[in-house]
Structures are given as C-alpha cells and as structure tokens.
Amino acid sequence: MKLKHAKRTLFNLVGIFLIASTATNVWANQLNTPEHIEVLTINNEKQSWYLFQDSRAIELPLGVVKLEVRYKDLIEDDNDDTHQTITSSKITMTFETRPNEVYQLKAKRPETEKEARQFAKKPVITIHSSAGVVEELNPVYIPTANVVVETPKSEPPTNDVSAKMLRYWWSQADETTKAEFIREISETKSR
C-alpha cells in the first residue's frame, strides 16, 4: 500500500514538473542580439550591456514589446592603430511577440571607421522571427544633431582630469541638456 502511494506521489510530481516546464516554455520568447547592437530598454526597463560582449539572448515577455536599441561599436581608426567607440542615437521598436518564438535583431556591421560613422547617423536595425521580418507597430527613429564619438581624434591631448570628465559627460548628454548647459554658462559669463 505504501509503495503504491509513493508511486502515485512520484507520478503526480513528475506530471506537475512537466506541466510547469511546458507552461514556462509557452510564455518564454527569446531575443538574440549581435554584439554591435545594444538593447537599452525592454518595455522601459533598463538592460545591461558590455562593449566586448558577444551576441546574447534576452527573454522577452509575451504581447506588445517596446525595445529601445542603438548601434554601438569599437572601430579601428582608418588612419592609425587607435580605436573609436561610435554610438548611434536610439531607435524605438514596438512589435507583438508570439509564444515560443525566437527573435533576432539584425544590422549590417560596418567594417571601416567611415562606414561606421555613416551607419551611426541613421542605423538600419530590423527584427526577425522564424517567419521572417517582424512587422513593427510604431517604428520611431529619434535623431540627434550628431553621432556620439566617445574618443574623438581631434581632441587635443590633455592630462587635466576635469577636462576629460567634462568631455565624457558632454558626450553622454542629450541635446536638450547640452543646450541648457550652454545657456547657464552664457548667463554666468554675462554676470
């Protein structure tokens, strides 16, 4: 009698495990990203990304998904052996996921610094599923005045830590923040 009860309990536990794992798989969608495309947010939730990270897989929720992505790559300078980190403006992609789909962000990877700067001005990033190109609900491109180059070659060399920090934070700021900063500096000078 006890053996029969133990077998039934084991059978029930295995059944529950199988149902739970199947249910998890039904709701799990995966987004694969190449190393030169950075996923900034998924449904306004910040994502982590590292410059030397290989392609990666991210879990997506079922239903409408809003991604903010951008091109970001370390490119060898065309004129010497240095490297430039070139970053585009962000692109918002909104689409609807289906159960058990694997999605892939795709973008041609520039090979030269010139190509990278050109691509960063208006990157073309698409999302695909096993059925092909995914139809976006509201594709939005958010342009900025210029491409962010984190280590521009035209900068004069300096050992001043403050100047380096100022240049870094300037490259991270959006156009509105930059305009506000310039306005404040102008007001300070006129006093």
Side-chain angles (χ1 to χ4, degrees):
M1 186 75 167
K2 287 184 182 182
L3 183 59
K4 191 175 186 179
H5 179 68
K7 283 183 180 179
R8 185 178 305 145
T9 303
L10 181 60
F11 179 78
N12 288 339
L13 287 174
V14 169
I16 290 170
F17 175 78
L18 289 174
I19 290 169
S21 65
T22 303
T24 301
N25 288 336
V26 167
W27 299 106
N29 291 301
Q30 181 176 319
L31 174 67
N32 295 322
T33 64
E35 62 185 324
H36 62 290
I37 301 301
E38 178 182 9
V39 176
L40 301 167
T41 65
I42 298 174
N43 292 341
N44 298 320
E45 187 176 310
K46 283 187 149 186
Q47 302 295 305
S48 61
W49 182 86
Y50 305 99
L51 188 60
F52 295 111
Q53 175 176 311
D54 288 338
S55 59
R56 65 181 244 199
I58 303 169
E59 190 172 316
L60 288 178
L62 187 59
V64 176
V65 174
K66 177 183 166 190
L67 293 180
E68 289 183 333
V69 300
R70 68 180 174 184
Y71 164 72
K72 186 171 187 176
D73 209 356
L74 185 65
I75 299 289
E76 187 173 337
D77 192 291
D78 289 343
N79 301 315
D80 56 34
D81 288 336
T82 62
H83 289 80
Q84 303 287 325
T85 302
I86 299 178
T87 306
S88 75
S89 302
K90 69 181 177 181
I91 296 172
T92 302
M93 307 172 88
T94 307
F95 60 100
E96 190 165 354
T97 62
R98 294 194 171 98
N100 291 325
E101 279 287 337
V102 176
Y103 296 90
Q104 172 77 43
L105 285 176
K106 293 186 179 184
K108 181 181 177 194
R109 189 168 196 178
E111 294 181 19
T112 66
E113 178 187 2
K114 182 179 178 182
E115 289 173 359
R117 289 181 189 277
Q118 206 50 37
F119 183 77
K121 288 179 182 174
K122 187 143 184 172
V124 177
I125 301 171
T126 55
I127 187 158
H128 299 253
S129 71
S130 55
V133 178
V134 173
E135 183 178 335
E136 292 184 48
L137 302 175
N138 295 310
V140 178
Y141 177 72
I142 304 169
T144 59
N146 56 5
V147 175
V148 176
V149 178
E150 294 176 4
T151 55
K153 206 166 61 169
S154 61
E155 270 184 35
T158 179
N159 291 327
D160 183 6
V161 174
S162 298
K164 286 181 181 180
M165 289 179 68
L166 183 59
R167 283 187 191 94
Y168 170 78
W169 287 113
W170 182 263
S171 72
Q172 300 301 308
D174 60 28
E175 295 306 311
T176 305
T177 304
K178 288 178 181 179
E180 180 68 23
F181 181 76
I182 290 171
R183 186 186 60 73
E184 288 178 21
I185 296 297
S186 298
E187 288 175 0
T188 304
K189 283 184 176 181
S190 64
R191 287 183 194 166

